Amino acid sequence: GRAASMRSASALAAALLKGERRALSKAITLVESTRPACRESADELLALVLPHRDRVKPLRIGISGAPGTGKSTLIESLGLELADRGHRVAVLAVDPSSYRSGGSVLGDKTRMLQLSADPRAYIRPSPAQGVLGGVARHTEDVTLLCECAGYDRVIVETVGVGQSEVVVAGLVDLFLLLIPPAAGDGLQGIKRGIMELADLIVVTKCDGGLAASARAVAEDVRAAMRVLRPRDAAWAPRVMTASCHDPRSAAAVAQAIEEFHTTMASAGALQHRRREQAAGRVLEHARAELLDRIRTTPGVPALVSALAAETADGRIASTTAGKKVAAAVLNPDPPRLGQPGSSCGSAGGG
């Protein structure tokens, strides 16, 4: 029972802290599970490993770009470059589309053959269930586990689908946006909100016949970035070009990432960003828990259906119905009419 679960959690924690890959994979499977028993074991595991996590060394890097920007190629060469610089690299993929279809991006490992064969790197394909909100929930825990296992550079890759970039930007220290050399009508296709999140923008495929176009797009991006307010006073977002045929490209991007880390950390801006993100995530998790309660509290789903019918018939306002559902979840034994506190005008507030 409980004692056995605690024993297995502490054995798994010990193996994970030694950096054992199998233990890390097992731990990740645990935190990605939606079964309540697994969730409890996952919470126990996190409580055991978190005190041992290095809080200074790790850096989380979010990388986003539409399909066709050469993202896998860049991630692979960047991962190898970071490993050559003495880091241990973990790559996590976040793909909201797989969440809807229930399929996983199993292609991740086949796309990055060199990096997945490298003992200094760990690649985890995206899990296959849940919704976009679930992305943040699992990715954050998975990132923590990777850091506890000694991976000090965690790359979180998004498959560019609007909302996912915003979610990932809230989980990482540095957000890197990839733009293809022919970004169409100038930069019309790139959402302003996503440009504002970027700490580093890389225009890819700057070689051969596309080199001139890539450099022109980079200039356009620089001009656009000058108008936008930087996320942090300590760091002016950088715009660079890269080519998968030039080994210096990965080194230049890795260098910019290291400079970001040093600059932001010494200015105290990195800690400030992490605190702000943490506050947002705590609220996010609280919301998710409350939504779970709405789905699982006995009698509440039926109440939702009944109130929805009344709202549709125009007998009750949806705001009123929403308050009734919230009251049923937060006070499972609702006050009966006539009891103190059940009306707005009663003594003691209400």
Side-chain angles (χ1 to χ4, degrees):
R2 176 109 182 108
S5 123
M6 280 301 285
R7 271 199 307 278
S8 73
S10 61
L12 186 56
L16 177 82
L17 292 168
K18 280 190 206 139
E20 289 178 19
R21 296 168 80 93
R22 274 187 59 198
L24 177 57
S25 295
K26 203 170 163 186
I28 291 176
T29 304
L30 195 61
V31 301
E32 282 175 353
S33 169
T34 48
R35 286 176 41 222
C38 290
R39 193 62 243 180
E40 250 176 65
S41 307
D43 290 342
E44 278 167 17
L45 176 68
L46 284 162
L48 289 168
V49 296
L50 275 179
H52 303 278
R53 172 177 164 264
D54 185 327
R55 294 210 294 275
V56 180
K57 222 172 118 187
L59 186 74
R60 300 173 179 186
I61 303 155
I63 298 187
S64 189
T69 44
K71 193 164 39 163
S72 321
T73 315
L74 183 111
I75 290 174
E76 179 163 55
S77 55
L78 177 62
L80 292 165
E81 173 66 31
L82 289 170
D84 286 344
R85 287 170 177 243
H87 297 293
R88 290 182 72 208
V89 183
V91 180
L92 314 173
V94 171
D95 175 13
S97 62
S98 71
Y99 282 66
R100 278 193 295 279
S101 62
S104 171
V105 193
L106 291 171
D108 292 327
K109 289 193 172 175
T110 51
R111 289 179 307 155
M112 304 181 204
L113 288 171
Q114 243 187 304
L115 193 60
S116 38
D118 196 305
R120 302 164 299 177
Y122 176 85
I123 297 183
R124 178 77 179 184
S126 60
Q129 72 342 266
V131 287
L132 190 58
V135 171
R137 224 168 163 182
H138 297 310
T139 306
E140 182 190 354
D141 288 349
V142 173
T143 304
L144 286 170
L145 290 173
C146 290
E147 289 169 349
C148 290
Y151 292 91
D152 62 328
R153 291 292 177 269
V154 179
I155 295 174
V156 183
E157 173 197 4
T158 75
V159 174
V161 185
Q163 211 40 45
S164 64
E165 286 106 335
V166 180
V167 171
V168 169
L171 293 173
V172 298
D173 300 315
L174 179 152
F175 189 63
L176 191 161
L177 181 63
L178 300 182
I179 296 180
D185 216 12
L187 303 170
Q188 296 308 307
I190 300 153
K191 294 190 206 67
R192 177 184 169 145
I194 289 161
M195 296 257 296
E196 282 174 338
L197 294 172
D199 299 296
L200 198 55
I201 293 182
V202 177
V203 181
T204 57
K205 304 186 179 178
C206 182
D207 48 62
L210 289 170
S213 164
R215 283 194 281 271
V217 168
E219 272 313 310
D220 287 351
V221 174
R222 279 188 196 101
M225 294 303 278
R226 280 196 282 273
V227 183
L228 299 178
R229 209 185 72 199
R231 270 177 86 182
D232 263 285
W235 177 261
R238 291 193 193 171
V239 182
M240 319 170 64
T241 55
S243 157
C244 62
H245 302 297
D246 182 353
R248 290 170 306 178
S249 284
V253 174
Q255 187 56 35
I257 289 170
E258 298 301 334
E259 284 170 19
F260 170 90
H261 194 191
T262 313
T263 306
M264 290 283 284
S266 60
L270 191 56
Q271 294 81 334
H272 178 70
R273 180 179 285 193
R274 285 172 179 172
R275 273 197 295 272
E276 281 197 339
Q277 289 174 328
R281 288 202 302 269
V282 169
L283 278 176
E284 195 51 54
H285 293 315
R287 276 190 208 106
E289 283 297 323
L290 291 170
L291 277 174
D292 278 349
R293 292 279 177 89
I294 290 175
R295 285 191 287 269
T296 55
T297 304
V300 171
L303 176 66
V304 171
S305 304
L307 289 170
E310 287 188 41
T311 305
D313 292 345
R315 285 179 298 180
I316 174 177
S318 58
T319 43
T320 312
K323 281 181 183 153
K324 288 188 174 184
V325 172
V329 172
L330 299 171
N331 319 308
D333 303 314
R336 284 179 295 284
L337 286 174
Q339 275 192 333
S342 67
S343 85
C344 288
S346 65

